Amino acid sequence: MSLKAEFTKGLWKTIPPFRLVLGLCPTLAVTTSGFNGIGMGLATTFVLIFSNVFVSLLRKLIPNQVRIASYIVIIASFVVIVELLMQAFFYQLSAVLGIFIPLIVVNCIILGRAEAFASKNNPIMSLADGLGIGLGYTMSLFVVGSIREVLGSGTLLYISNDHPGFHVMWSSFEPFTFMLKPPGAFVALGILLAFMNLISQCQTRKGGGN
Amino acid sequence: MGDFILLMIGAILVNNILLMRFLGNCPFLGVSRSMETATGMGIAVIFVLTLAGMITWLVHHYILIPMNIEYLRTIAFILVIATLVQFVEMVIQKTAPPLYEALGIYLPLITTNCAVLGVAIINIDENYDLITAIFFSFASACGFSLALVLMAGIRQRFALVEIPKPFEGTAIGLITAGLMGLAFFGFIGLV
């Protein structure tokens, strides 16, 4: 496959967490606003790109029996870097995301890509794959976050009290606080997933059933 | 003792690790298709999570803090958990083959179950002492298993009903989990 195909497949065809049903915990937990979704997505993308490139560079050196343990060490190192960088430069965001930053280690997307892609392909391809999947993931988190934010508090792109974002709903709009609560996350994600399934079903029907 | 009972109720019902804290959702949706797999996974998680909660607490307080390397917590914990899972797998295989047959396939999956690492980190962040940490780990794991088994019970009945095509599979699972979470909301105020 070409470089471009590796990059773009992460944006729709295998977009996590919808097509690649992995990495659900952060998708549900931190998406109370679009901005948090972007923050979490970019942190994951950073780790994904570096772990993919390093796993790919070391793929001939790592013995097959201990590969999973080695991948976990590589991933954990980059997670620590992200954790420290975010505490230093984006303290507020890191306080909101909290425990889910160290938990990037066990995000199955990253280990999944290391095992399924980076361990079999060259570093450039792995970089493209990591970037594509990472940006796809960021996009999904942003969409889920924005939907919950708009319905749950009536704003879009709220960052902090200094940057309150936009009020997108009419003035008498009664926010569904349900959407900001944990059960709302499950329901929102479930409905979005169903919607994506519907779109693909329509596409296959138009494409003559393949 | 009263504190422990409150902690237990809090961790199992009020702040259920799956439905309220969103830890361990991948196995939740993955293995909740049948009752047997859900029970197996639940027992394996209770066992490993309690042990992991204890060992990571000891590692943090007796290795990381004296050596002043708390920033390596994530790496240290994930390595401890991965080793522990491997070790438990070997011990069970040697000492209790029937148990191994029942739990064997779920054990490797636990390494990447974020509930295990998550609870280990919560134990440290909340400054629990050793006994509370063990108790909290055990209670969280019980909450995980409870939600998992309940979910499996509901999902088994999906076989008998007609689900709209786009909702089949994970989508309906997520919505069910949302409704279950809403039911668990009723427990707020218990503690």
Side-chain angles (χ1 to χ4, degrees), chain A residues 24-25 28-29 72-73 76-77 80 83 99-100 102-103 105-106 108 111 178 181-183 185-186 190 193-194 197-198 201, chain B residues 19 21-26 29 71 74-75 78-79 111-112 114 118 121-122 165-167 170-171 174 177-178 181-182 185:
Chain A
L24 283 173
C25 308
L28 293 162
I72 288 180
V73 175
S77 320
V80 173
E83 214 181 334
I99 186 173
F100 286 93
L103 286 182
V105 170
V106 281
C108 352
L111 194 63
F178 168 68
K181 293 274 182 340
F186 283 110
L193 187 63
N197 288 344
L198 191 68
Q201 278 165 16
Chain B
L19 301 167
R21 287 189 200 256
F22 301 116
L23 295 170
N25 274 299
C26 302
L29 293 166
Y71 58 90
T74 312
I75 298 188
I78 192 73
L79 284 179
T111 314
T112 51
C114 44
I121 292 175
I122 292 173
K165 201 120 207 296
F167 280 94
T170 318
L174 282 165
L182 210 54
F185 257 18

Side-chain angles (χ1 to χ4, degrees), chain B residues 53-143:
Chain B
M54 181 174 78
I55 295 177
T56 49
W57 192 93
L58 292 172
V59 165
H60 188 259
H61 286 260
Y62 292 101
I63 300 180
L64 298 185
I65 289 183
M67 289 169 81
N68 230 345
I69 45 171
E70 285 113 313
Y71 58 90
L72 289 181
R73 183 176 73 178
T74 312
I75 298 188
F77 281 14
I78 192 73
L79 284 179
V80 167
I81 292 169
T83 327
L84 179 75
V85 169
Q86 195 87 58
F87 181 70
V88 167
E89 199 181 342
M90 286 185 325
V91 170
I92 294 184
Q93 196 174 8
K94 286 271 180 278
T95 56
L99 190 64
Y100 179 76
E101 233 147 75
L103 301 185
I105 48 167
Y106 306 109
L107 284 169
L109 289 175
I110 295 179
T111 314
T112 51
N113 183 340
C114 44
V116 181
L117 185 61
V119 168
I121 292 175
I122 292 173
N123 278 337
I124 304 300
D125 284 350
E126 299 276 331
N127 280 325
Y128 287 146
D129 59 41
L130 181 58
I131 304 291
T132 320
I134 296 174
F135 212 79
F136 179 73
S137 310
F138 174 71
S140 297
C142 289

